[in-house]
Amino acid sequence: MSKPILAIHGGAGTVVKSSMTPALEAEYRSGLEDALRKGWGVLEANGTALDAVQAAVTALEDFPLFNAGRGSVFTHDGRQEMDASIMDGSTLRAGAVAEVRNIRNPILLARAVMDKTVHVLLAGEGAMQFAAEQGFALEPDEYFFTEHRWLQLQDAISSDRVQLDHAGSPPYEGGAAVPVSSIGTDGVVLSDRTQKPIGTVGAVACDSQGRLAAATSTGGMTNKKFGRVGDTPLIGAGTYANELCAVSCTGHGEYFMRAATAFDVAARMAYKGLSLEDAANETVSQLTAIGGEGGLIAVDKEGTVTLPFNSEGMYRGSITDSGIKIGIYK
Ligand code: ASP
């Protein structure tokens, strides 16, 4: 028997207390707590780690302040294209989707790829055809739209940046509409540029049988072009799980792809005999060394959890039978 544990993240980046209001922080905390409870509900009922991470990520995708599902960032063309992946460490089965649109919960589509096909990753039009065949209903664009993300895109376009949604972006404060008087002709909020860091989401879990699983979902990076896909749907880069650990990453995807970050934690444990914590810390140091910003969450079958990051903050939380822990800042 293992000690069940679930950990989640809601993205890493420029997350500093001075740029947060108590109301906004409370909103984020409630989103994280709700996802932790949904995932924990599965583990408590003796469900699998796989179903637990799926439940937690589904809740985070539904929460509009995070960059996944509803509230995803916009591409250069003003579209919302989402990526997601899920992996079962006990069987090494995995499923992923990239560049999907109008799918309410991309993580459920990734799970369907794993369960219903002989493939691991489906992208773009093909993934959408598969979704239709599987009976996934499409949500209208309005379901995913948030004004905050739209303003973020205008800002990124005006400064010709492709950006992490929480790296130096100057979105408006709170979920309320921005007064028109505070928006410049380029659509950028001129004053009160309070940071509203929001991110990619992920979950890792160990169930009572010691099975491990990981899942990650994102809208990617604001102002991305040309069908850019990041690390999130790539098994081994943004998500990985085997019998040693389960890992979900968040940050500047190009670096996570180059460093095969999620797999790197498992490799350091297997080849160097490191503990989960030492392996994860080494992996993040390696990421820092190549200039990558972000972090990861990881669990092992002993019920150990570690949540290292090299950015200013990372939305994160964990839950066990002794309760919930939530962190945002360094
Ligand atoms: N890793 C994601 C990507 O590059 C973004 C993030 O984690 O915020 O698409």
Side-chain angles (χ1 to χ4, degrees), residues 10-17 19-22 24-30 32 66 197-198 307 309 311-317 325-330:
T14 315
V15 188
V16 286
K17 198 169 177 80
S19 63
M20 186 80 88
T21 63
L24 189 54
E25 184 172 328
E27 229 179 310
Y28 278 113
R29 284 181 179 275
S30 82
L32 291 168
F66 293 118
I198 311 170
L307 317 161
F309 53 95
S311 44
E312 287 185 69
M314 180 169 83
Y315 291 96
R316 60 200 184 276
K325 284 188 195 154
I326 287 178
I328 297 179
Y329 316 107
K330 221 173 204 147

Coordinates of all heavy atoms in Angstrom, one line a residue, residues 10-17 19-22 24-30 32 66 197-198 307 309 311-317 325-330:
G10 N -0.5 25.5 -11.5 CA -1.3 26.4 -12.4 C -0.4 27.4 -13.1 O -0.8 28.5 -13.5
G11 N 0.8 26.9 -13.4 CA 1.7 27.7 -14.2 C 2.8 28.4 -13.3 O 2.6 28.6 -12.1
A12 N 3.9 28.7 -14.0 CA 5.1 29.3 -13.3 C 5.4 30.6 -14.0 O 5.2 30.7 -15.2 CB 6.3 28.4 -13.2
G13 N 6.0 31.5 -13.4 CA 6.5 32.8 -14.0 C 6.6 33.9 -13.1 O 7.0 33.7 -11.9
T14 N 6.3 35.1 -13.6 CA 6.5 36.3 -12.8 C 5.3 36.4 -11.8 O 4.4 37.2 -12.1 CB 6.6 37.6 -13.7 OG1 7.5 37.2 -14.7 CG2 7.1 38.7 -12.9
V15 N 5.3 35.7 -10.8 CA 4.2 35.6 -9.8 C 4.7 36.3 -8.5 O 5.4 35.6 -7.7 CB 3.8 34.2 -9.5 CG1 2.5 34.2 -8.7 CG2 3.5 33.4 -10.8
V16 N 4.5 37.6 -8.3 CA 5.0 38.3 -7.2 C 3.8 38.8 -6.3 O 2.8 39.3 -6.9 CB 6.0 39.4 -7.5 CG1 7.3 38.8 -7.9 CG2 5.5 40.3 -8.6
K17 N 4.1 38.8 -5.0 CA 3.0 39.2 -4.1 C 2.6 40.7 -4.3 O 1.4 41.1 -4.3 CB 3.4 39.0 -2.7 CG 2.2 39.0 -1.7 CD 2.6 38.5 -0.4 CE 1.4 38.5 0.6 NZ 0.5 37.5 0.4
S19 N 2.2 42.3 -6.8 CA 1.3 42.6 -8.0 C 0.0 41.8 -7.8 O -0.7 41.7 -8.8 CB 2.0 42.2 -9.3 OG 2.3 40.8 -9.2
M20 N -0.3 41.4 -6.7 CA -1.5 40.6 -6.4 C -2.4 41.3 -5.4 O -1.9 41.8 -4.4 CB -1.1 39.2 -5.9 CG -2.2 38.2 -5.8 SD -2.6 37.5 -7.3 CE -1.5 36.1 -7.3
T21 N -3.7 41.3 -5.7 CA -4.6 41.8 -4.7 C -5.1 40.7 -3.8 O -5.1 39.5 -4.3 CB -5.9 42.5 -5.3 OG1 -6.6 41.5 -6.0 CG2 -5.4 43.6 -6.3
P22 N -5.6 40.9 -2.6 CA -6.1 39.8 -1.8 C -7.2 39.1 -2.5 O -7.3 37.9 -2.4 CB -6.5 40.5 -0.5 CG -5.7 41.8 -0.4 CD -5.5 42.2 -1.9
L24 N -7.8 38.7 -5.7 CA -7.4 37.9 -6.8 C -6.7 36.7 -6.3 O -6.9 35.6 -6.8 CB -6.4 38.7 -7.7 CG -5.9 38.2 -9.0 CD1 -7.1 37.7 -9.9 CD2 -5.1 39.2 -9.7
E25 N -5.9 36.9 -5.2 CA -5.2 35.7 -4.7 C -6.2 34.7 -4.1 O -6.0 33.5 -4.3 CB -4.2 36.2 -3.5 CG -3.4 35.0 -3.0 CD -2.3 35.4 -2.0 OE1 -1.8 36.5 -2.1 OE2 -2.1 34.6 -1.1
A26 N -7.2 35.2 -3.5 CA -8.3 34.3 -3.0 C -8.9 33.5 -4.1 O -9.2 32.3 -4.0 CB -9.3 35.1 -2.2
E27 N -9.1 34.2 -5.3 CA -9.7 33.5 -6.4 C -8.8 32.4 -6.9 O -9.3 31.3 -7.2 CB -9.8 34.6 -7.5 CG -11.2 34.7 -8.2 CD -11.2 35.7 -9.3 OE1 -10.7 36.9 -9.0 OE2 -11.6 35.4 -10.4
Y28 N -7.5 32.7 -7.0 CA -6.6 31.6 -7.5 C -6.6 30.5 -6.5 O -6.6 29.3 -6.9 CB -5.2 32.2 -7.6 CG -4.9 32.9 -8.9 CD1 -4.7 34.3 -8.9 CD2 -4.9 32.2 -10.1 CE1 -4.5 34.9 -10.1 CE2 -4.7 32.9 -11.3 CZ -4.5 34.2 -11.3 OH -4.3 34.9 -12.5
R29 N -6.5 30.8 -5.2 CA -6.5 29.7 -4.2 C -7.7 28.9 -4.3 O -7.6 27.7 -4.1 CB -6.3 30.3 -2.8 CG -4.9 30.8 -2.5 CD -4.8 31.4 -1.1 NE -3.4 31.8 -0.9 CZ -2.4 31.0 -0.5 NH1 -2.6 29.8 -0.2 NH2 -1.2 31.5 -0.4
S30 N -8.9 29.5 -4.5 CA -10.1 28.7 -4.6 C -10.1 27.8 -5.8 O -10.5 26.6 -5.7 CB -11.4 29.6 -4.5 OG -11.6 30.1 -5.8
L32 N -7.4 26.5 -7.2 CA -6.4 25.4 -6.9 C -7.1 24.4 -5.9 O -7.0 23.2 -6.1 CB -5.1 26.0 -6.3 CG -4.3 26.8 -7.3 CD1 -3.2 27.5 -6.6 CD2 -3.7 25.9 -8.4
F66 N -6.9 30.2 -15.4 CA -5.7 29.5 -15.8 C -5.6 29.4 -17.4 O -6.7 29.4 -18.0 CB -5.6 28.1 -15.2 CG -5.4 28.2 -13.7 CD1 -6.3 27.7 -12.8 CD2 -4.2 28.8 -13.2 CE1 -6.1 27.8 -11.4 CE2 -4.0 28.9 -11.8 CZ -5.0 28.4 -10.9
P197 N -0.7 36.9 -13.2 CA -0.1 35.8 -13.8 C -1.0 34.5 -13.7 O -1.6 34.2 -12.7 CB 1.1 35.6 -12.8 CG 0.8 36.4 -11.6 CD -0.4 37.1 -11.8
I198 N -1.1 33.9 -14.8 CA -2.0 32.8 -15.0 C -1.3 31.7 -15.8 O -0.5 32.1 -16.7 CB -3.3 33.1 -15.7 CG1 -3.9 34.4 -15.1 CG2 -4.3 32.0 -15.6 CD1 -5.0 35.0 -15.9
L307 N 8.1 20.3 -5.6 CA 7.6 21.3 -6.5 C 8.6 22.4 -6.9 O 8.4 23.5 -6.6 CB 6.3 21.9 -5.9 CG 5.4 21.0 -5.1 CD1 4.5 21.7 -4.2 CD2 4.5 20.2 -6.1
F309 N 11.0 25.2 -8.8 CA 10.9 26.1 -9.9 C 12.0 27.2 -9.8 O 12.5 27.4 -8.8 CB 9.5 26.8 -10.0 CG 9.1 27.5 -8.7 CD1 9.3 28.8 -8.5 CD2 8.5 26.8 -7.7 CE1 8.9 29.5 -7.4 CE2 8.1 27.4 -6.5 CZ 8.3 28.7 -6.3
S311 N 11.5 30.2 -11.4 CA 10.8 31.5 -11.7 C 10.5 32.2 -10.4 O 10.7 31.7 -9.3 CB 9.6 31.3 -12.5 OG 8.9 30.2 -12.0
E312 N 9.9 33.4 -10.5 CA 9.5 34.1 -9.3 C 8.4 33.5 -8.5 O 8.3 33.7 -7.3 CB 9.2 35.6 -9.6 CG 10.4 36.3 -10.0 CD 10.1 37.8 -10.3 OE1 9.8 38.5 -9.3 OE2 10.1 38.2 -11.4
G313 N 7.6 32.7 -9.2 CA 6.6 32.0 -8.4 C 6.0 30.9 -9.3 O 6.3 30.7 -10.5
M314 N 5.2 30.1 -8.6 CA 4.5 29.0 -9.4 C 3.2 28.7 -8.6 O 3.3 28.4 -7.4 CB 5.4 27.8 -9.5 CG 4.7 26.6 -10.3 SD 5.8 25.3 -10.7 CE 5.9 24.3 -9.2
Y315 N 2.1 28.7 -9.2 CA 0.9 28.3 -8.6 C 1.0 26.8 -8.3 O 1.2 26.1 -9.3 CB -0.3 28.6 -9.5 CG -0.6 30.1 -9.6 CD1 -0.1 30.8 -10.7 CD2 -1.3 30.7 -8.6 CE1 -0.3 32.1 -10.8 CE2 -1.5 32.1 -8.7 CZ -1.0 32.8 -9.8 OH -1.2 34.1 -9.9
R316 N 0.8 26.4 -7.1 CA 1.0 25.0 -6.8 C 0.2 24.5 -5.6 O -0.1 25.4 -4.7 CB 2.5 24.7 -6.6 CG 3.1 25.5 -5.5 CD 4.6 25.6 -5.6 NE 5.2 26.3 -4.4 CZ 5.3 27.6 -4.3 NH1 4.8 28.5 -5.2 NH2 5.9 28.1 -3.2
G317 N 0.0 23.3 -5.5 CA -0.7 22.8 -4.3 C -0.6 21.3 -4.2 O -0.3 20.6 -5.2
K325 N -2.1 21.8 1.0 CA -1.1 22.9 1.0 C -1.1 23.6 -0.3 O -1.1 23.0 -1.3 CB 0.3 22.3 1.2 CG 0.6 21.8 2.6 CD 2.1 21.4 2.7 CE 2.3 20.6 4.0 NZ 3.4 19.7 3.9
I326 N -1.1 24.9 -0.2 CA -1.1 25.7 -1.5 C 0.0 26.8 -1.4 O 0.2 27.4 -0.3 CB -2.5 26.4 -1.7 CG1 -3.5 25.3 -2.1 CG2 -2.4 27.5 -2.7 CD1 -4.9 25.8 -2.3
G327 N 0.7 27.0 -2.5 CA 1.8 28.0 -2.5 C 1.7 28.8 -3.8 O 1.2 28.2 -4.8
I328 N 2.1 30.0 -3.8 CA 2.1 30.8 -5.0 C 3.5 31.4 -5.3 O 4.0 31.4 -6.3 CB 1.0 31.9 -4.9 CG1 -0.4 31.3 -4.8 CG2 1.1 32.9 -6.1 CD1 -1.5 32.3 -4.7
Y329 N 4.0 32.0 -4.2 CA 5.3 32.8 -4.4 C 6.4 31.9 -4.0 O 6.3 30.8 -3.5 CB 5.2 34.0 -3.5 CG 3.9 34.7 -3.6 CD1 3.0 34.7 -2.6 CD2 3.5 35.4 -4.8 CE1 1.8 35.3 -2.7 CE2 2.3 36.0 -4.9 CZ 1.4 36.0 -3.8 OH 0.2 36.6 -3.9
K330 N 7.6 32.4 -4.2 CA 8.9 31.7 -3.9 C 8.9 31.4 -2.4 O 8.6 32.3 -1.6 CB 10.1 32.5 -4.3 CG 11.1 31.6 -5.0 CD 12.2 32.3 -5.6 CE 12.8 31.4 -6.6 NZ 13.3 32.0 -7.7

